[in-house]
Amino acid sequence: QVQLVESGGGLVQAGGSLRLSCAASGRTFVGYAMGWFRQASGKEREFVAAISKSGRRTYYADSVKGRFTISRDNAKNTVYLQMNSLEPEDTAVYFCAASGIFERLSAKYDYWGQGTQVTVSS
């Protein structure tokens, strides 16, 4: 089992920045690729970004490419999502997730956090 706890969400004005963190405990963190997903009210959960086990490979949804950066610190068992130039369309609950493979499909992720709310005002 892997337990994931997100933090860092909040209310920010458009154009602002937030940094989300996801702390992992349980099984060896380095054994998992990590992903960030989001779900806006009334919409399906969507992929945001993923990072490989080593951190050398990353992948982003087109909607966030160039604005968001995913990173991980394996010594701290933590994955981050730096979000810059935020837009009202980024408003959602953000979830981190762990997978045995580097993947963008949510169905491939085995463990999920409880989510953290990000609200971007216009």
Side-chain angles (χ1 to χ4, degrees):
Q1 291 284 342
V2 176
Q3 292 77 44
L4 302 172
V5 179
E6 302 96 334
S7 61
L11 174 64
V12 64
Q13 289 188 331
S17 298
L18 281 175
R19 187 196 196 199
L20 305 183
S21 299
C22 174
S25 60
R27 291 190 175 180
T28 307
F29 181 66
V30 297
Y32 293 91
M34 298 298 295
W36 285 97
F37 294 79
R38 67 186 182 186
Q39 187 167 18
S41 180
K43 296 187 177 180
E44 293 187 354
R45 187 173 300 186
E46 65 174 358
F47 170 78
V48 175
I51 189 165
S52 63
K53 298 173 186 179
S54 65
R56 285 194 289 268
R57 292 183 294 163
T58 57
Y59 187 69
Y60 296 93
D62 288 344
S63 59
V64 306
K65 200 172 296 183
R67 299 188 298 123
F68 290 11
T69 302
I70 188 171
S71 62
R72 66 189 294 161
D73 185 338
N74 286 341
K76 295 183 178 180
N77 290 354
T78 302
V79 61
Y80 305 98
L81 186 67
Q82 178 67 44
M83 306 185 293
N84 299 329
S85 302
L86 283 162
E87 303 168 353
E89 293 74 23
D90 296 317
T91 295
V93 177
Y94 283 71
F95 300 88
C96 71
S99 172
I101 57 174
F102 181 48
E103 176 60 65
R104 65 172 293 167
L105 294 177
S106 61
K108 299 295 186 180
Y109 283 77
D110 304 304
Y111 303 102
W112 293 81
Q114 82 290 347
T116 185
Q117 176 71 46
V118 171
T119 303
V120 185
S121 63
S122 57

